[in-house]
Amino acid sequence: MSAELDLDLGRLVGKRSAGVIAKHLGLTTVGALLNYFPRRYLDRGELTPISEVPLDEDVTLIARVVSSSTRTMKARRGTITDVVISDDDGTPGLRMVGGSDYRGKVPGTLKVSFFNGYRAKAELLQGRRALFSGKVTRYGGLLGLTNPDFLLLDEDPFVQGKDPESLALMPIPVYPATGKLTSWAIQKVVEALLQTADLDALPDPVPPAVAAREKFLPVAEAYRLIHAPESTADWQRARDRFRYQEALVLQAALARRRAQLAAEEATARRPVADGLLAAFDRQLPFTLTAGQAAIGKTLSTELAQDGPMNRLLQGEVGSGKTVVALRAMLQVVDAGGQAALLAPTEVLAAQHFESIRRTLGPLSRDGLLGGFGNAAVQVTLLTRSMSTAARKQALLDAASGTAGIVIGTHALLSDNVSFYDLGLIVVDEQHRFGVEQRDALRAKASKPPHLLVMTATPIPRTVAMTVFGDLETSVLDELPAGRAPISTHVVGLAENPGWAGRIWSRSREEIDAGHQVYVVCPKIGTDDDGDFSPGETEPTAADLEENGTARELASVTAVVEQLQQEPALAGVPLAPLHGRQDPAVKSAAMADFTANRTKLLVSTTVIEVGVDVHNATLMVILDADRFGISQLHQLRGRVGRGGHPGTCLLVTTLEPGHPSRRRLDAVASTTDGFELSQEDLKLRREGDILGASQSGGRSTLKLLRVLEHEDIIARAREDAQKIVGSDPSLQQHPQLAQAIDGYLNPEKEAFLERG
């Protein structure tokens, strides 16, 4: 990195200021703070009174606090701080962003709510003047803001004493702040840094020809204008430069990694004319879809190469990815190697184990000693909950080469697990694993193994380019014969309370017809916050409370008790399934449901991925608004798998028109996973959908937004491929290489190498 960027921050802004920045933001160098860009800019022009606040639009308010109160939530742990604000002494206080479709009016005052808003509670005291920014929503018939960003103007040295005309001319940068470090405090240190740093000495990772083509600002000027703009055009030009620079550095890193992977030497696993794979194909009771056959041919060709295959296989729920992966595994076994399938949960690992053995039929050899042969293959399961004897045998089978296919959970990553000749790694639902876990499995092979990553969550092209850019991508977009359509309906209990009983009589009808039912709950018990995947949208006020009373979310334990007393389900064998159960209890519950001994399964999202019960035809998702689009799409894919039409009921108590019901309407409107993934990306926090939750941090992308900036990503990708193609080691582009090294800190390395 440049010596200037690597300088200790304290040398340029003083030890005291640097200590505060390091303590609260974790930034210790000049480069780290320079690249801590404002989240947004507040333009105080075109001011409008609070009384004309527009519904469902982003707004920025300058207002004074009238009152503040904090209460404890009943539906979940934590507090809600309610702040009432008014126009600042009657002067204009609102700037609209967007259109002017006024669909609601709140005269004079506005209610602002914060969940666990400790900073809001401490700072937004009566009489304080502040700037608020957020989206206006309706709750209880009135308009308000939920968890908006805010900036105290009383204490901001950059705006104190300025008249409205002066304020309107100068954008205010708003930095991502913490509870004890305000945006203006960060801005003050940045201003000092801009005056002392030698910005003209900073390296430019963008090649001169590209910078000239794009008409970019010089690096030094871009840093000045992104942090201290005098006009909107200033920060926009600077932001455009750094956004493209970020895209180019990321795409160059991906292109360089792709070139490095291609240069590795793997063991070629060539097809055998009359081996296991050929025997498997002859006994298949169905014909492969055109997509399965085409992708199978691609995998076969790549497995036969001396360089490692690195491929992402994405496909809809039930599109037949497992059969494609199994055929690849059999080709590797035919060639004398072993295949390992890594699954995220024990339930899914056990399902894969049973499904693969069942699919192999007589080609599956259990418990026989000996090396590889063409007659059959041994499939071995390895999980942490196995008995000591079974686990020891599984470890021996993997190490000796007796097991051709080893299926397991994180237990496969243990130090005491070894393989005779690991040739192929198949990772199922890759978004549940981090790079360290995948690399731990790769390290168990004597040569770089071939890699097949599978996901049932459709990935928009922009995300694939940004996250999985070092992998070749294949898509299965057609369902095999026998998959029945799934009809999805939103069951709104707010407008139709009588439907609550009908849900269970409808379940009984399905059971009486010989089928089975899933009931999915967001919580395990009444004492937890909910069983949600990382990245789901935060609750709004109306999500958690209705008419001022607590909203109790459905839990597995409570629903089981309720359904045991439900007249419509009298005599129906039902059982719970959730993540806190002992593994043996979970396995037994799933086995009973699979064998049709249990007719109704009350579960959390533990059944979201991989569970394959062909007789299940109805899924009831309670408090469905508490799940994201991707989760709902995954969940409903558990029904309609055995040729019988499937039905999914999305049950909600939220009022029609509530923003959280938009997700439900989207899922009910289509079964096209790629269409839903685009909608998902719009509604969810982008950092989470890109995998930042693996490292517990914010999004690794600073200015780039994959849904909005596809053209930028594509242009940068093309530039990066040309640069790396002609200069794989980047010797002719040292500043770009330095930028990649600086960009790939451990958090971003995990993000980049998710594939």
Side-chain angles (χ1 to χ4, degrees):
M1 290 293 291
S2 157
E4 190 73 12
L5 290 177
D6 258 352
L7 277 178
D8 182 86
L9 191 57
R11 293 181 57 180
L12 298 189
V13 301
K15 290 186 177 180
R16 182 176 179 181
S17 294
V20 172
I21 295 295
K23 178 180 179 180
H24 296 292
L25 300 181
L27 309 177
T28 59
T29 65
V30 169
L33 186 56
L34 281 177
N35 288 301
Y36 194 74
F37 298 134
R39 174 186 293 164
R40 66 182 66 181
Y41 299 84
L42 302 175
D43 177 6
R44 279 74 55 89
E46 304 174 24
L47 299 176
T48 312
I50 280 180
S51 60
E52 297 181 3
V53 56
L55 175 66
D56 203 28
E57 290 184 13
D58 290 312
V59 298
T60 298
L61 299 161
I62 296 178
R64 196 169 294 278
V65 176
V66 175
S67 65
S68 176
S69 62
T70 300
R71 53 192 162 81
T72 301
M73 289 186 283
K74 297 178 182 179
R76 59 192 278 138
R77 288 188 290 271
T79 61
I80 296 179
T81 296
D82 291 320
V83 178
V84 177
I85 59 175
S86 71
D87 287 336
D88 186 16
D89 298 329
T91 58
L94 175 82
R95 178 187 185 273
M96 292 193 315
V97 180
S100 57
D101 177 19
Y102 296 99
R103 287 175 282 167
K105 294 180 183 297
V106 180
T109 62
L110 198 67
K111 182 178 176 182
V112 186
S113 298
F114 298 87
F115 296 107
N116 296 322
Y118 307 113
R119 177 175 162 242
K121 179 182 178 181
E123 296 184 2
L124 293 177
L125 305 178
Q126 184 176 1
R128 283 275 177 94
R129 181 170 174 262
L131 191 152
F132 301 87
S133 184
K135 176 168 283 189
V136 180
T137 58
R138 186 190 301 279
Y139 172 55
L142 299 177
L143 302 188
L145 298 174
T146 301
N147 290 333
D149 290 329
F150 70 90
L151 175 66
L152 288 177
L153 299 184
D154 301 354
E155 304 174 7
D156 189 339
F158 297 97
V159 299
Q160 277 183 21
K162 291 187 180 293
D163 56 64
E165 288 76 16
S166 299
L167 286 175
L169 294 175
M170 187 182 70
I172 290 184
V174 178
Y175 291 86
T178 69
K180 295 185 178 180
L181 186 64
T182 63
S183 174
W184 69 260
I186 299 170
Q187 184 184 6
K188 185 177 180 180
V189 180
V190 171
E191 287 281 343
L193 180 60
L194 292 177
Q195 295 172 11
T196 55
D198 185 2
L199 301 181
D200 293 317
L202 299 181
D204 186 354
V206 180
V210 175
R213 183 195 74 201
E214 299 289 334
K215 300 179 181 177
F216 284 147
L217 292 170
V219 169
E221 188 177 359
Y223 274 118
R224 291 189 187 97
L225 295 184
I226 201 165
H227 288 293
E230 295 185 1
S231 67
T232 298
D234 285 347
W235 64 258
Q236 287 177 340
R237 290 184 66 200
R239 178 203 58 192
D240 290 347
R241 195 249 203 261
F242 287 120
R243 179 174 289 156
Y244 189 87
Q245 178 175 313
E246 181 176 22
L248 181 66
V249 171
L250 176 56
Q251 291 299 332
L254 287 165
R256 189 176 67 171
R257 173 171 169 76
R258 194 169 185 164
Q260 291 168 345
L261 289 172
E264 289 182 341
E265 183 181 351
T267 300
R269 309 291 179 172
R270 297 183 177 87
V272 173
D274 193 27
L276 277 167
L277 177 56
F280 176 74
D281 285 345
R282 285 194 299 270
Q283 73 165 31
L284 266 181
F286 55 85
T287 302
L288 296 175
T289 66
Q292 287 174 316
I295 293 173
K297 185 175 181 180
T298 299
L299 299 184
S300 179
T301 300
E302 292 184 346
L303 290 171
Q305 303 299 317
D306 293 324
M309 174 181 77
N310 289 282
R311 184 163 287 275
L312 168 68
L313 174 58
Q314 56 172 315
E316 286 285 9
V317 176
S319 60
K321 297 183 299 297
T322 305
V323 170
V324 172
L326 178 55
R327 295 183 72 252
M329 289 190 273
L330 292 177
Q331 177 169 325
V332 170
V333 172
D334 275 338
Q338 292 168 287
L341 194 161
L342 181 62
T345 67
E346 291 202 357
V347 169
L348 181 52
Q351 286 277 328
H352 275 311
F353 177 65
E354 295 296 340
S355 174
I356 286 177
R357 289 202 308 168
R358 185 171 61 247
T359 305
L360 285 171
L363 298 178
S364 172
R365 182 184 65 226
D366 296 321
L368 300 181
L369 297 177
F372 299 114
N374 292 334
V377 58
Q378 179 167 322
V379 184
T380 293
L381 178 67
L382 180 61
T383 64
R384 288 198 172 98
S385 66
M386 296 170 66
S387 68
T388 302
R391 182 178 173 81
K392 285 183 176 179
Q393 186 62 53
L395 291 172
L396 177 62
D397 290 345
S400 65
T402 301
I405 297 175
V406 182
I407 299 170
T409 55
H410 296 74
L412 288 179
L413 310 176
S414 301
D415 291 339
N416 62 341
V417 177
S418 61
F419 292 86
Y420 180 77
D421 182 12
L422 181 58
L424 171 65
I425 297 172
V426 179
V427 182
D428 196 16
E429 294 307 319
Q430 169 61 24
H431 64 280
R432 307 221 178 174
F433 294 99
V435 62
E436 299 88 355
Q437 296 161 323
R438 188 205 65 192
D439 283 350
L441 193 52
R442 281 172 58 95
K444 297 179 184 296
S446 56
K447 283 188 176 182
H450 300 283
L451 175 69
L452 179 62
V453 171
M454 299 195 300
T455 177
T457 303
I459 302 170
R461 177 174 174 266
T462 46
V463 178
M465 281 196 301
T466 307
V467 181
F468 297 103
D470 56 340
L471 299 180
E472 300 289 346
T473 301
S474 296
V475 178
L476 277 174
D477 54 7
E478 58 182 317
L479 296 182
R483 283 307 306 268
I486 302 172
S487 58
T488 306
H489 307 279
V490 177
V491 180
L493 298 183
E495 65 270 34
N496 296 291
W499 285 359
R502 174 61 184 145
I503 294 170
W504 309 123
S505 58
R506 177 72 181 81
S507 300
R508 183 56 183 257
E509 291 167 7
E510 208 66 27
I511 292 168
D512 287 346
H515 303 309
Q516 291 165 276
V517 178
Y518 292 105
V519 177
V520 180
C521 305
K523 295 170 62 177
I524 295 173
T526 56
D527 60 342
D528 70 310
D529 288 341
D531 189 31
F532 313 120
S533 290
E536 298 306 331
T537 50
E538 293 182 1
T540 65
D543 283 335
L544 295 179
E545 300 199 7
E546 296 171 350
N547 302 321
T549 59
R551 173 190 175 196
E552 182 62 43
L553 299 176
S555 67
V556 171
T557 54
V559 170
V560 167
E561 291 179 7
Q562 173 197 342
L563 297 187
Q564 286 173 336
Q565 306 301 319
E566 172 61 45
L569 295 174
V572 170
L574 56 88
L577 180 68
H578 57 76
R580 289 186 195 160
Q581 291 172 316
D582 182 270
V585 174
K586 281 191 291 187
S587 297
M590 201 62 240
D592 285 343
F593 191 65
T594 302
N596 201 12
R597 291 187 289 270
T598 297
K599 303 296 183 180
L600 187 147
L601 191 68
V602 183
S603 171
T604 59
T605 56
V606 69
I607 54 98
E608 175 185 351
V609 174
V611 174
D612 188 15
V613 178
H614 287 193
N615 195 45
T617 54
L618 175 64
M619 175 169 287
V620 178
I621 305 179
L622 301 176
D623 290 313
D625 50 89
R626 293 301 295 122
F627 301 103
I629 285 178
S630 176
Q631 271 189 312
L632 293 172
H633 184 56
Q634 287 282 332
L635 285 166
R636 71 171 167 190
R638 299 305 108 207
V639 296
R641 302 176 71 86
H644 306 292
T647 301
C648 180
L649 303 181
L650 306 176
V651 183
T652 179
T653 58
L654 296 184
E655 296 282 345
H658 187 280
S660 292
R661 284 189 56 160
R662 178 180 169 188
R663 295 196 297 272
L664 308 189
D665 294 334
V667 174
S669 68
T670 181
T671 55
D672 185 328
F674 285 91
E675 182 180 331
L676 289 174
S677 70
Q678 291 283 351
E679 185 69 16
D680 197 18
L681 195 55
K682 293 176 186 175
L683 295 176
R684 287 175 61 180
R685 292 173 298 178
E686 192 170 56
D688 294 319
I689 210 169
L690 293 178
S693 57
Q694 286 193 66
S695 54
R698 299 173 184 267
S699 169
T700 53
L701 298 180
K702 293 180 180 294
L703 299 174
L704 207 58
R705 295 295 175 263
V706 296
L707 194 64
E708 301 171 25
H709 306 136
E710 180 174 358
D711 58 332
I712 295 174
I713 294 169
R715 209 160 66 245
R717 181 176 176 80
E718 184 177 345
D719 286 338
Q721 288 174 338
K722 289 179 180 177
I723 292 169
V724 174
S726 60
D727 182 16
S729 61
L730 296 180
Q731 291 183 349
Q732 306 302 315
H733 300 83
Q735 294 181 333
L736 178 56
Q738 289 173 3
I740 292 174
D741 293 339
Y743 189 84
L744 297 185
N745 58 40
E747 178 181 343
K748 294 192 175 80
E749 190 92 44
F751 160 78
L752 177 63
E753 296 188 351
R754 282 179 60 200

